[in-house]
Amino acid sequence: MISMFKLILLIILLTELETLVILRLYRPINRSSFPFNRYLFTIALLLITIGSLTFAIIKFVLIFHQQFQLSKLYLSCIYIFLFCSLLESIGILFIFPYLNRLKLIEQQYEQNRQEKQVDIRRVFSLAKEERSLMLIGSFFLFIESAIDIVTIILFGQIIAFALKYESMHSVNVTILIYFGIDFINCICSFLNSWLFDLAGQKMIYRLRQNIFNAIIKQEIGFFDENHTGELTNRLSSDTQVVQTMLTGNIALLIQNFIHIIGSLIVMFYLQVTLTLVLISIVPIVILIATIYGNIIENLRQQFQDKLAEANKTAEESISNIRTVRIFGSECKIIDRYKQNLMKSFVIGKKLAFNDALFTGVTGLLTAGTISVVIWYSAKLVHDKKLSTGILSSFLLYLIQVAVAFAYLASLYGEFMQTVGASKRIFYLLDRQPKIPSTSNESCSIEPTDFDGSIHFDNVSFTYPTRPEQQILTNISFSIPPGQKVALVGPSGSGKSTIASLIERFYEPQSGTIYLGSYSLASINPQWLRQNISFVNQEPSLFACSIRYNISFGLDPNQVSFDDIIRVAKQANSHQFIEEFDQKYDTLVGEYDHHLSVARALLMNPKFLLLDEATSALDAQSEYLIQEAIEQF
């Protein structure tokens, strides 16, 4: 009755305190009474928990000294009530420092209110579509873990039967039962392993696809600020870390949690005092694990960032190996990569030290507690108060609990590491492109009367990576339809920038760009790409066939092979292609400028942009491409 009354009071007080905290964070007005109410509720909570703990201690002392003949179940309830009251008091004490940090949390919330926070719960949400597979796998995992607990009881019975009876009949029957349930255990182990692994493969497939979709839709300025090596690192290593945690580690978490709970229940039934001694270290381990998890989360995020920098250096060096070789800078690049690796190595050493320290401290606490338990159990056997069979089962449960706690401790650290590594993943998934790549409410117009004219009206622009350097300042000009216009000027004067603005790779800081009579910002981006083609200074082709590269801008099902041949002839590349053995199915080689022009012509654009498309060609090739452009 007292426990029920206390539970009702705690629920009411904690609910009211939670409401006050939420109002404090999310409603910045009418908060003058918060300090008084906060102290009122916390003092009430403290009085209730202290009273409950005092009552439990007095009851325990009275029963212990008076030596009442009570059942094991009643004694177990008394011990559990005392232990839970102690945990409850410790938990209430932890409220005070967190309430004192409320003001700092409020300030951080104001600064980061636009950012979604990343925690273990949100990381788990990545596997929500595989929830059914994981639930079925958890069912078989539960059966497997329950069988692990039952087999220990059978093992104790086998020892007891062997010592008690001269005949082996009881031992043989128990062994057969043991083999039968172990066979079921193997089947359940196969099913849960297969289901969790399958869920992991499905999750990482979907996660990588979603991340790639999010990356590919970002504006060009995003790729100026984020290097290719960093982004590919998110797709490869970071997603692998998340998969390992959400599938493999979550199965271990469930299994070890069941082992701990089930073993403790049986151990309480077998010997209450020994079990209480064992679980006395739980609050200390939880406190240490919390501190360790916070440290590891920050270090893991730093480690992944430094590793991404090293990958960026490697990617740049390998992709520009000709430049490296021309200047004989192999040693310079090797040293640069080594320095970047050293940064991640330094953080890796901190990770290793903290991991070893956490393992050592928890191992020391566990070893000390187990030593006390073993000594006391040996004393009980010596005093004829505990049978050998029960002792054997209890010690096996003790080992199982110790191993499970060790696994949980390491898994907690890995969970925190995954949270740190997943922050960059969620940054990519949450980020909305500043310039949309598809139609939306603000850019959905598809002009039917566009004649190819373009007008710049007082346009100013700076690149996102160089905001202090003004590239264009109040530029105004018009390009009439049906004309060929050349922009002439020194390097860095903004010629390529104007072409990029017409393609809407970037947004101008001020001014407006018009296509016909419509603002460029109001036009459907997909319609824009279909009606304006762009051949830049260094055209990029994909490692696919010539046919694929020429038809890249259109749906392959809507492009005939005759059209591909036609634009290849216009770009003066058909003759070269026919000399290959596989002709248009040949993988792309050196004729990239010709193919890039053919690719642009196949779009049949109303406006064609050429950004020094022939600057890297010899005179003959330049003449052929210029001839193709004249025919456009």
Side-chain angles (χ1 to χ4, degrees):
M1 189 67 182
I2 295 176
S3 298
M4 184 63 68
F5 180 70
K6 184 192 73 171
L7 178 62
I8 294 173
L9 280 179
L10 286 176
I11 291 175
I12 294 174
L13 290 174
L14 288 173
T15 302
E16 290 298 322
L17 184 60
E18 181 186 28
T19 304
L20 286 174
V21 171
I22 293 174
L23 291 176
R24 171 78 173 181
L25 285 174
Y26 297 99
R27 294 187 183 178
I29 57 175
N30 297 328
R31 298 182 301 184
S32 58
S33 62
F34 177 78
F36 173 77
N37 292 331
R38 180 188 66 179
Y39 287 117
L40 177 64
F41 282 114
T42 50
I43 290 173
L45 286 170
L46 194 59
L47 289 175
I48 292 174
T49 52
I50 291 175
S52 175
L53 180 61
T54 304
F55 174 76
I57 293 174
I58 293 173
K59 193 167 186 177
F60 174 78
V61 171
L62 288 175
I63 293 174
F64 183 78
H65 282 285
Q66 297 298 327
Q67 298 292 327
F68 292 117
Q69 297 297 322
L70 301 173
S71 65
K72 285 186 177 181
L73 180 61
Y74 185 79
L75 287 174
S76 299
C77 292
I78 296 297
Y79 294 142
I80 292 173
F81 179 67
L82 175 61
F83 179 73
C84 292
S85 297
L86 179 62
L87 285 182
E88 183 181 78
S89 302
I90 295 174
I92 294 298
L93 291 176
F94 275 111
I95 289 179
F96 288 97
Y98 281 103
L99 288 176
N100 291 332
R101 291 170 56 190
L102 185 59
K103 186 175 181 180
L104 177 61
I105 294 174
E106 181 182 2
Q107 294 174 351
Q108 292 175 345
Y109 172 77
E110 292 295 330
Q111 295 174 358
N112 305 313
R113 62 184 183 276
Q114 300 297 332
E115 299 181 6
K116 294 183 179 180
Q117 298 299 314
V118 178
D119 52 17
I120 291 181
R121 182 183 302 177
R122 192 173 183 212
V123 175
F124 282 155
S125 68
L126 292 173
K128 61 182 179 181
E129 294 189 16
E130 287 72 39
R131 193 176 301 167
S132 57
L133 285 175
M134 296 176 69
L135 285 175
I136 298 173
S138 299
F139 171 75
F140 291 110
L141 185 61
F142 177 82
I143 297 176
E144 178 189 355
S145 303
I147 290 175
D148 291 338
I149 296 172
V150 172
T151 52
I152 294 179
I153 298 177
L154 293 177
F155 184 80
Q157 288 183 344
I158 291 172
I159 294 177
F161 291 156
L163 294 175
K164 184 176 181 180
Y165 302 111
E166 294 183 1
S167 172
M168 289 291 292
H169 175 72
S170 299
V171 174
N172 294 337
V173 172
T174 309
I175 289 291
L176 289 175
I177 296 173
Y178 176 86
F179 177 78
I181 63 174
D182 200 50
F183 177 76
I184 298 174
N185 191 13
C186 293
I187 296 176
C188 292
S189 177
F190 161 75
L191 290 173
N192 85 71
S193 298
W194 173 60
L195 290 170
F196 272 102
D197 287 344
L198 179 61
Q201 294 299 328
K202 291 182 65 177
M203 187 214 67
I204 199 170
Y205 163 77
R206 191 187 71 259
L207 180 59
R208 283 174 173 163
Q209 187 178 40
N210 291 340
I211 294 174
F212 183 77
N213 292 346
I215 291 174
I216 212 70
K217 292 178 180 179
Q218 300 301 322
E219 75 280 1
I220 298 299
F222 170 82
F223 297 96
D224 295 339
E225 298 172 353
N226 297 272
H227 292 80
T228 305
E230 295 180 15
L231 298 176
T232 54
N233 189 62
R234 307 300 165 218
L235 282 170
S236 56
S237 62
D238 285 1
T239 52
Q240 192 64 50
V241 170
V242 173
Q243 182 209 12
T244 301
M245 189 201 77
L246 291 183
T247 53
N249 288 349
I250 196 65
L252 288 175
L253 174 67
I254 296 172
Q255 185 178 43
N256 287 290
F257 184 76
I258 295 174
H259 281 169
I260 291 174
I261 299 300
S263 298
L264 287 177
I265 291 174
V266 178
M267 290 168 72
F268 263 114
Y269 177 77
L270 295 177
Q271 235 300 325
V272 177
T273 307
L274 291 177
T275 309
L276 284 175
V277 173
L278 177 64
I279 64 177
S280 62
I281 66 166
V282 172
I284 302 175
V285 173
I286 291 175
L287 178 61
I288 295 174
T290 302
I291 298 172
Y292 166 74
N294 293 332
I295 296 173
I296 288 297
E297 178 183 352
N298 295 328
L299 287 177
R300 173 56 62 176
Q301 183 178 1
Q302 296 176 28
F303 179 80
Q304 292 296 122
D305 290 340
K306 298 302 180 184
L307 188 61
E309 290 181 10
N311 290 340
K312 177 185 69 176
T313 301
E315 186 269 336
E316 289 178 343
S317 304
I318 295 173
S319 60
N320 297 298
I321 188 62
R322 288 178 174 81
T323 304
V324 174
R325 191 59 49 81
I326 287 172
F327 292 96
S329 300
E330 291 86 354
C331 294
K332 182 178 180 180
I333 287 297
I334 291 173
D335 184 62
R336 181 184 173 190
Y337 182 68
K338 179 181 177 181
Q339 290 177 3
N340 287 332
L341 272 184
M342 181 58 65
K343 294 177 182 178
S344 64
F345 174 67
V346 170
I347 300 175
K349 289 194 296 183
K350 294 180 181 179
L351 282 170
F353 174 77
N354 282 278
D355 184 53
L357 180 63
F358 176 70
T359 303
V361 171
T362 54
L364 180 62
L365 290 172
T366 304
T369 306
I370 291 176
S371 299
V372 174
V373 170
I374 293 176
W375 175 85
Y376 188 64
S377 60
K379 184 177 183 302
L380 291 176
V381 173
H382 180 269
D383 296 340
K384 308 298 183 182
K385 296 181 180 180
L386 190 67
S387 67
T388 306
I390 293 178
L391 174 62
S392 301
S393 298
F394 190 89
L395 291 179
L396 288 175
Y397 281 121
L398 179 63
I399 294 172
Q400 189 173 66
V401 170
V403 172
F405 264 118
Y407 269 116
L408 287 182
S410 62
L411 288 177
Y412 182 78
E414 292 184 18
F415 284 161
M416 291 299 101
Q417 291 180 20
T418 304
V419 171
S422 64
K423 287 184 178 180
R424 295 289 293 180
I425 290 179
F426 282 111
Y427 166 74
L428 295 175
L429 293 175
D430 295 337
R431 190 182 190 277
Q432 296 297 321
K434 297 178 181 179
I435 302 176
S437 59
T438 56
S439 174
N440 58 31
E441 294 180 358
S442 62
C443 52
S444 58
I445 298 176
E446 298 183 2
T448 57
D449 56 348
F450 177 57
D451 55 3
S453 63
I454 291 180
H455 175 65
F456 275 56
D457 183 15
N458 291 321
V459 173
S460 298
F461 176 76
T462 59
Y463 282 100
T465 54
R466 305 191 303 273
E468 72 285 348
Q469 183 178 357
Q470 192 73 30
I471 305 299
L472 300 177
T473 305
N474 296 329
I475 295 294
S476 297
F477 65 89
S478 296
I479 300 177
Q483 292 192 9
K484 296 181 177 65
V485 177
L487 299 179
V488 181
S491 297
S493 60
K495 303 185 298 297
S496 299
T497 300
I498 290 175
S500 297
L501 289 174
I502 294 175
E503 274 284 348
R504 209 187 174 193
F505 290 164
Y506 306 95
E507 293 279 30
Q509 272 67 52
S510 63
T512 307
I513 303 173
Y514 293 95
L515 265 65
S517 58
Y518 299 97
S519 169
L520 179 62
S522 65
I523 293 177
N524 185 343
Q526 293 176 323
W527 181 93
L528 178 68
R529 311 291 185 240
Q530 293 170 359
N531 287 271
I532 296 181
S533 289
F534 185 21
V535 182
N536 57 13
Q537 298 178 24
E538 297 179 358
S540 299
L541 299 177
F542 296 91
C544 300
S545 66
I546 293 174
R547 183 203 302 260
Y548 176 86
N549 276 278
I550 293 178
S551 62
F552 180 74
L554 298 173
D555 186 349
N557 298 323
Q558 298 177 354
V559 180
S560 66
F561 186 56
D562 292 336
D563 289 334
I564 294 176
I565 294 177
R566 174 179 56 80
V567 295
K569 289 180 178 179
Q570 289 179 353
N572 290 307
S573 58
H574 178 70
Q575 181 179 353
F576 299 109
I577 296 172
E578 287 294 319
E579 294 177 359
F580 295 120
D581 293 336
Q582 296 181 344
K583 297 181 173 42
Y584 282 85
D585 292 324
T586 304
L587 294 180
V588 171
E590 59 180 314
Y591 303 104
D592 49 359
H593 285 78
H594 297 83
L595 296 183
S596 62
V597 173
R599 180 171 59 187
L601 295 178
L602 185 62
M603 297 292 295
N604 192 25
K606 295 183 178 180
F607 197 96
L608 179 61
L609 291 167
L610 300 170
D611 186 9
E612 299 185 26
T614 61
S615 60
L617 297 177
D618 57 78
Q620 178 65 22
S621 298
E622 182 178 5
Y623 170 77
L624 293 175
I625 288 183
Q626 287 179 349
E627 184 181 10
I629 294 171
E630 289 294 331
Q631 297 174 4
F632 174 68

